[in-house]
Amino acid sequence: MAHSRPRILEQAEADCDGKITDNIAGERKYAEIVVIRHGETEWNADGRIQGHLDVELNDVGREQATVVAERVSKEFKVSAVYSSDLKRAFETAQIIASSCGGLQVLEDPDLRERHLGDLQGQVVREAAKSSSKAYRAFVSKRRDEEIPGGGESLDQLYQRCTSSLQRIANKHIGERVVAVTHGGVIRALHRRASSHGRSAGKIMNTSVNVFQLSDEDEWSIKVWGDVSHLNQTGFLESGFGGDKSSG
């Protein structure tokens, strides 16, 4: 599968410390956040629902993380690396941080995947029969519907993770940082930043997504779903994420 690698910054460059220098006078100040999905896990490969369950990367996932880390270290100058506290994201973030000069990974539990309640640990293709009530809530179009078994609604996920990213941005105005997280979270961030209302599409493991968050709480997307770095590695097109179409 061929993927182009778009230029990440259209109106700004960053110096060696990840500070962004505007090329257009008077442009609004912003933070640039490179949001990356974690590498593959065995549960992704099996189509098993993870949610808040703490599953490690598999060998392919570690290879993916190494390749995206190399890409980040060459294309971006970052001043901080944030991550969900779940192992699959944190390990991906550690590999990236190591390639970016040995930065410390800053954990943020609000970057966790959506809690999927009674569906967690189940194979998605079997969940409709084994946990029918939870599955109906999962595929419901109601954004306020919580999943039985302690699961979150889409609205709860949206509030949690968009607030987290805005807090990170507020700490890093004028800088570029990395945030490693999960498929369902990235889809919610896309919903916050997208003005056209189109689908986010599948969220692939270690996909690169670049957001700009202004100091006036305005969001935009500069790059979406770029997995060009995976051309030479295992490339999983069906790994299950935080909702029925995460990829």
Side-chain angles (χ1 to χ4, degrees), residues 2 55 58 94 128 175:
V55 184
N58 62 15
Q94 284 182 310
E175 300 177 2

Side-chain angles (χ1 to χ4, degrees), residues 37 43-47 202 204-205 235-241 247:
R37 189 185 177 198
W43 284 25
N44 286 147
D46 293 342
K202 288 187 176 182
M204 301 299 183
N205 291 108
F235 183 68
L236 182 68
E237 295 196 49
S238 59
F240 185 77

Side-chain angles (χ1 to χ4, degrees), residues 110 153-164 167 188:
D110 285 338
S153 69
L154 289 170
D155 283 344
Q156 289 169 332
L157 170 67
Y158 179 92
Q159 180 60 39
R160 168 166 64 81
C161 66
T162 58
S163 295
S164 171
R167 287 196 304 271

Side-chain angles (χ1 to χ4, degrees), residues 113-114 116 138 154 183-184 187-188 240-247:
E113 182 58 281
R114 181 184 180 188
L116 293 168
F138 173 62
L154 289 170
R187 188 174 299 280
F240 185 77
D243 58 44
K244 60 183 179 296
S245 56
S246 279

